[in-house]
């Protein structure tokens, strides 16, 4: 975990309405691209659990 630049999903393409993620000091940070001042941080295991829960619930599909 040594990336400190914000990354967004390739699914976001040119849209500015996306979730961005980065790692910093052993913490995974998330933010909305349109609210860059609000950042949520989690340890890597908690972040992985979040991703697994999202995928298991079906919320990772676009409509």
């Amino acid at each position: 975990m040594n990336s400190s630049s914000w990354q967004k999903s390739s699914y976001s393409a040119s849209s500015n309405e996306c979730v961005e993620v980065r790692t910093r000091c052993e913490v995974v940070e998330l933010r909305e691209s349109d609210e860059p001042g609000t950042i949520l941080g989690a340890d890597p295991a908690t972040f992985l659990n979040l991703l697994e829960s999202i995928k298991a619930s079906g919320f990772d599909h676009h409509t």
Side-chain angles (χ1 to χ4, degrees):
M1 289 182 33
N2 56 9
S3 173
S4 62
S5 60
W6 290 104
Q7 298 178 358
K8 67 178 183 174
S9 170
S10 59
Y11 291 106
S12 298
S14 61
S15 173
N16 285 333
E17 299 175 3
C18 61
V19 175
E20 298 173 318
V21 64
R22 74 176 176 186
T23 57
R24 202 174 94 176
C25 300
E26 301 299 317
V27 174
V28 180
E29 295 181 330
L30 300 166
R31 72 178 184 183
E32 281 282 337
S33 58
D34 58 349
E35 291 286 335
T38 303
I39 299 171
L40 173 68
D43 63 86
T46 301
F47 181 69
L48 179 60
N49 286 336
L50 172 66
L51 292 179
E52 289 173 344
S53 295
I54 290 169
K55 288 183 178 188
S57 69
F59 285 120
D60 65 332
H61 297 122
H62 294 100
T63 56

